[in-house]
């Protein structure tokens, strides 16, 4: 479990770093930094499990709200956005990853 926490903590910090050139970078850097902080707090056993469940619920609600009106995929091989729907799908997927990780930390962390 320790490797899981370190892996996802570093992954979320990397996700936050990749947001530096996004038009709404402050929102996403904050979002992924909170997930990275949660991994650290779980690693050090400083937060009770209910906090991770609250974070998981918040992230999944945000992922649902962020879901694009028309799913066009995420197009992993492209760096350019062909449409807003692709950007929304990627953001929703990132939030879902955060939610799943927080749920695991709450249950087994």
């Amino acid at each position: 479990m320790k490797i899981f926490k370190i892996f996802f903590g570093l992954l979320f910090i990397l996700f936050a770093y990749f947001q530096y050139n996004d038009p709404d970078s402050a929102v996403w850097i904050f979002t992924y930094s909170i997930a990275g902080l949660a991994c650290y707090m779980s690693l050090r056993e400083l937060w009770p499990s209910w906090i991770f469940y609250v974070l998981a619920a918040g992230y999944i609600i945000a992922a649902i709200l962020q879901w694009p009106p028309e799913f066009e995929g995420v197009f992993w091989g492209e760096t350019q956005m062909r449409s807003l729907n692709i950007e929304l799908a990627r953001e929703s997927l990132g939030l879902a990853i955060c939610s799943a990780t927080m749920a695991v930390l709450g249950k087994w962390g």
Side-chain angles (χ1 to χ4, degrees), residues 19 44 104:
Q19 300 302 317
R44 304 287 296 178
V104 168

Side-chain angles (χ1 to χ4, degrees), residues 11-86:
L11 184 68
F12 292 137
I13 298 304
L14 187 63
F15 282 2
Y17 172 76
F18 286 146
Q19 300 302 317
Y20 73 93
N21 64 350
D22 199 279
D24 53 351
S25 61
V27 171
W28 295 105
I29 290 171
F30 177 76
T31 299
Y32 290 125
S33 295
I34 292 297
L37 174 66
C39 290
Y40 173 77
M41 298 302 269
S42 177
L43 184 65
R44 304 287 296 178
E45 299 178 2
L46 296 175
W47 284 354
S49 62
W50 67 267
I51 293 178
F52 300 105
Y53 291 131
V54 168
L55 287 171
Y59 280 124
I60 199 64
I61 290 168
I64 292 166
L65 294 174
Q66 194 70 19
W67 191 252
E70 182 180 333
F71 182 72
E72 297 177 29
V74 291
F75 297 98
W76 294 108
E78 299 178 14
T79 56
Q80 297 286 332
M81 290 298 139
R82 289 188 355 201
S83 77
L84 179 61
N85 289 331
I86 294 170

